[in-house]
Amino acid sequence: MNISDIRAADARLAGRKRVTPLLSSPFLDEIAERPVLVKAECLQHTGSFKFRGAWSAISALPEGTGGVLAFSSGNHAQGVAMAARMRGLPAVIVMPADAPRLKLENTAALGAEVVTYDRETEDRDEIGSCLADMRGLSLVKPFDNPDVIAGQGTCGLEIAYQAKEAGVTEATVLTCCGGGGLTSGIALALEADAPGMKVRPVEPEGFDDVCRSLKAGEIRSNPTMAGSICDAIVTPRPGDLTFPIMHRLCGPGLAIPDEDARRAMALAFVRLKLVLEPGGAAALAAALFHGNDLNDGPVICTASGGNVDPGVFRAALDRYPEG
Amino acid sequence: MNISDIRAADARLAGRKRVTPLLSSPFLDEIAERPVLVKAECLQHTGSFKFRGAWSAISALPEGTGGVLAFSSGNHAQGVAMAARMRGLPAVIVMPADAPRLKLENTAALGAEVVTYDRETEDRDEIGSCLADMRGLSLVKPFDNPDVIAGQGTCGLEIAYQAKEAGVTEATVLTCCGGGGLTSGIALALEADAPGMKVRPVEPEGFDDVCRSLKAGEIRSNPTMAGSICDAIVTPRPGDLTFPIMHRLCGPGLAIPDEDARRAMALAFVRLKLVLEPGGAAALAAALFHGNDLNDGPVICTASGGNVDPGVFRAALDRYPEG
């Protein structure tokens, strides 16, 4: 994988993706004691960056493809559903039956066929491969797929361009990091277009598989998947494709407590007028509250998604009514 | 006033304003039963379109100006404070002593000197003109000032360009309307750059001075100023400069109940990941819930501001948790 894959994905995404704005607030700069730029990917189609990778992968499928298949209970599901609809392909999304009702409904409303399974008694992969065989569907993985990584990388091309317009060419770029699709894609894009920038992944404390993998120089897994409010960026382990890219290009990872994500959500509400989900606020939390762990100079954070339950959002505002 | 004033303001604003995105969601299109495009001015500096007019006016002041003065308890105050700071001029903002503490603090934090007065016992205009004379300050009115109108009109230039990119050249453009600065500025811009678009102002029910003025063909006032949650767009009457422009160019006004603004806020949260204040959601409310009063075809709404009290926002989410 290299920058030409990302440029090719960018060409496929032209006129499809939203070029999301790079925002800032003097109030956030003051808290962080440095310039903070926020890449508002929550404003991407379906409320997260996932649409980029989904369209990149789905638009690259050969003619005659029978449709697409994805496993996801979250943002990837909606991104794939919308991208498939844009290409006029059927999409089957395999989701756990106990996923939040709104996410099931939204995915279906975007035109996908939602197939649910029982997490306790059924084998997700078996259901998926059975459906794929029967109907000739192509699997779109959430991060360990070159076209998906290339699609997420288009976010990095925009960061390089927009930051330069704002006069910033050297910066720490903090990414909300799950399996590493967004992080590795951005890192590849910045290596080419903004070599003065260094990407550092941000994860929830206790679910810092990428942090630990980068430190160890080999893939480490999370002992458990449950227990963080930052669910969108909790994954079992980094991907086989994403990890080598991150290992080559990314600085040490950072881990933030859930409480910092909550306060970053409240600050994004008050100061940026953005709705962020906890996992989408992790990078901003690191920029605002973990400056001691960062090099001097400006910070750019991805605000990677906004698909938050209203109750979770209200709780953040209740706790931090002034941000 | 004409389009050349707006283009001149746009040149002054280049590199200063944010080009805010024009957003959409298939879920909103479905509710409205038509394409809905949302101009996210809540993402403008200081959280509302007011920065455009403020910088337009302040950047046009002659060299040697001693500073600027504004009367405002809301969005105009913050826009003027930030624009004055950008130009390196002192700003004095005269605000009622009982204005929300956060608004007083934010305005001060943006570098302005906040002078408070007692609404019951003191004369705001007397305080202002006294300060202006003593210190050589220039008054920046919130809407009835040609440079302010021209600045707000730059939002219209962006709408024309961005809508065309999205394939839309004929549309109803709904504006959240207070004194008419944004509405008249956008109308002038679209007359030149998107003549297939018709601007219609949206106001809160019971505070529809512009609606009634347009109908009567002459300026009408609101009987009272208190009682709507859409406080940002409640003004005593349209301006002497803005009204003739609106009368020449704008279609009939619309009035929406507060409850519709609340639900539009919740839908903007769920579907667009935007934080809107009630007055900034009025146009979206009209697009979503008052389609019977609109011509067929796409609708473009200004989402004009996001400076909302967290309690008011939470109340909207409580009432409409799924939008």
Side-chain angles (χ1 to χ4, degrees):
Chain A
M1 282 215 58
N2 59 43
I3 186 68
S4 64
D5 299 311
I6 299 177
R7 298 211 200 284
D10 203 49
R12 293 196 299 279
L13 276 156
R16 303 282 180 171
K17 70 175 180 181
R18 282 196 190 122
V19 177
T20 56
L22 192 65
L23 303 176
S24 62
S25 158
F27 295 98
L28 299 183
D29 294 354
E30 197 178 315
I31 293 172
E33 298 179 341
R34 64 174 84 222
V36 177
L37 296 165
V38 178
K39 180 65 173 163
E41 275 298 291
C42 57
L43 303 178
Q44 192 51 262
H45 294 298
T46 71
S48 88
F49 71 94
K50 290 285 189 180
F51 171 79
R52 294 179 187 264
W55 176 257
S56 171
I58 291 170
S59 63
L61 292 173
E63 287 292 322
T65 303
V68 300
L69 172 77
F71 303 105
S72 170
S73 58
N75 291 333
H76 181 57
Q78 293 185 59
V80 168
M82 185 152 177
R85 187 166 74 170
M86 275 189 185
R87 174 129 185 224
L89 288 175
V92 177
I93 315 286
V94 182
M95 300 176 88
D98 58 351
R101 188 174 53 81
L102 201 61
K103 289 196 173 168
L104 294 165
E105 287 179 5
N106 284 348
T107 307
L110 287 166
E113 178 185 346
V114 174
V115 174
T116 58
Y117 69 98
D118 184 325
R119 283 201 239 217
E120 302 295 319
T121 62
E122 292 181 292
D123 182 338
R124 188 189 80 161
D125 292 327
E126 202 178 309
I127 294 170
S129 66
C130 180
L131 279 165
D133 288 349
M134 269 168 40
R135 306 203 201 162
L137 305 177
S138 301
L139 176 65
V140 182
K141 291 187 190 176
F143 50 85
D144 231 20
N145 169 323
D147 289 321
V148 170
I149 296 169
Q152 319 309 26
T154 64
C155 182
L157 299 181
E158 292 176 21
I159 288 172
Y161 177 82
Q162 293 171 320
K164 195 173 174 193
E165 290 273 294
V168 175
T169 54
E170 308 215 340
T172 301
V173 177
L174 300 173
T175 55
C176 303
C177 188
L182 181 66
T183 303
S184 60
I186 289 177
L188 282 171
L190 297 182
E191 181 189 24
D193 282 13
M197 295 190 190
K198 182 83 173 174
V199 175
R200 297 186 60 185
V202 181
E203 296 174 295
E205 271 180 14
F207 304 87
D208 58 344
D209 52 303
V210 173
C211 275
R212 288 182 294 107
S213 301
L214 288 174
K215 206 166 180 178
E218 57 182 32
I219 288 177
R220 296 280 188 262
S221 298
N222 284 321
T224 172
M225 290 278 287
S228 170
I229 61 166
C230 299
D231 55 291
I233 56 170
V234 173
T235 42
R237 39 159 275 175
D240 292 326
L241 295 178
T242 60
F243 177 68
I245 300 168
M246 291 192 284
H247 189 236
R248 181 168 72 80
L249 294 173
C250 296
L254 296 151
I256 58 111
D258 280 355
E259 200 52 36
D260 289 356
R262 257 191 214 105
R263 193 176 166 211
M265 288 167 66
L267 280 161
F269 166 86
V270 176
R271 300 303 178 194
L272 299 173
K273 314 307 172 192
L274 291 180
V275 176
L276 300 187
E277 62 192 278
L284 179 60
L288 296 176
F289 313 127
H290 296 262
N292 288 343
D293 299 326
L294 302 174
N295 287 345
D296 289 344
V299 172
I300 301 170
C301 329
T302 62
S304 53
N307 291 313
V308 56
D309 180 79
V312 173
F313 197 79
R314 284 197 310 261
L317 298 191
D318 284 340
R319 201 152 329 174
Y320 303 102
E322 298 184 10
Chain B
M1 282 213 60
N2 59 43
I3 186 66
S4 65
D5 299 311
I6 299 177
R7 298 212 200 283
D10 203 48
R12 293 195 300 277
L13 276 156
R16 303 281 180 171
K17 71 174 180 182
R18 281 195 192 124
V19 177
T20 56
L22 192 65
L23 304 175
S24 62
S25 159
F27 295 97
L28 299 183
D29 293 355
E30 198 179 315
I31 294 171
E33 298 179 341
R34 64 174 83 222
V36 176
L37 297 166
V38 178
K39 180 66 172 163
E41 275 298 292
C42 56
L43 303 177
Q44 192 51 264
H45 295 297
T46 72
S48 88
F49 71 94
K50 290 285 189 180
F51 171 79
R52 295 178 187 265
W55 176 258
S56 171
I58 290 170
S59 64
L61 291 174
E63 288 292 323
T65 303
V68 300
L69 172 78
F71 303 106
S72 170
S73 59
N75 291 333
H76 181 56
Q78 293 186 59
V80 167
M82 185 152 176
R85 187 167 73 171
M86 276 189 184
R87 175 132 185 221
L89 287 176
V92 177
I93 314 286
V94 182
M95 300 176 89
D98 59 351
R101 188 173 54 81
L102 201 62
K103 289 196 173 167
L104 293 165
E105 287 179 5
N106 284 348
T107 306
L110 287 167
E113 178 184 348
V114 175
V115 174
T116 58
Y117 70 98
D118 184 326
R119 283 201 239 217
E120 302 296 319
T121 61
E122 293 182 292
D123 181 337
R124 188 188 81 162
D125 292 327
E126 201 176 310
I127 294 170
S129 67
C130 179
L131 280 165
D133 288 350
M134 267 169 42
R135 305 203 203 161
L137 306 176
S138 301
L139 176 66
V140 182
K141 291 187 189 177
F143 50 85
D144 229 21
N145 167 325
D147 289 320
V148 170
I149 296 170
Q152 320 307 27
T154 65
C155 182
L157 299 181
E158 292 176 20
I159 288 172
Y161 177 80
Q162 293 171 321
K164 194 174 174 192
E165 291 273 295
V168 175
T169 53
E170 307 214 341
T172 300
V173 178
L174 299 174
T175 55
C176 302
C177 188
L182 181 65
T183 303
S184 60
I186 288 177
L188 282 171
L190 297 182
E191 181 189 24
D193 281 13
M197 296 190 189
K198 182 83 173 176
V199 176
R200 296 186 60 184
V202 181
E203 296 174 295
E205 271 181 13
F207 305 86
D208 59 342
D209 52 303
V210 172
C211 275
R212 288 182 292 108
S213 300
L214 288 173
K215 205 167 182 179
E218 58 182 32
I219 289 177
R220 295 281 188 263
S221 299
N222 283 322
T224 171
M225 291 276 289
S228 170
I229 61 165
C230 300
D231 54 291
I233 57 169
V234 173
T235 41
R237 38 160 276 175
D240 292 325
L241 295 178
T242 60
F243 177 68
I245 300 168
M246 292 193 282
H247 189 236
R248 181 168 72 81
L249 295 173
C250 297
L254 296 152
I256 58 110
D258 280 356
E259 200 52 36
D260 289 356
R262 258 191 213 105
R263 191 174 167 214
M265 287 167 66
L267 281 161
F269 165 87
V270 176
R271 299 303 178 193
L272 299 173
K273 314 309 171 191
L274 291 181
V275 176
L276 301 187
E277 62 192 276
L284 179 60
L288 296 176
F289 313 126
H290 296 261
N292 288 342
D293 299 327
L294 302 173
N295 288 345
D296 289 344
V299 171
I300 300 170
C301 330
T302 63
S304 53
N307 291 312
V308 56
D309 180 80
V312 172
F313 197 78
R314 285 197 310 262
L317 298 190
D318 284 339
R319 202 156 324 177
Y320 304 100
E322 298 184 10

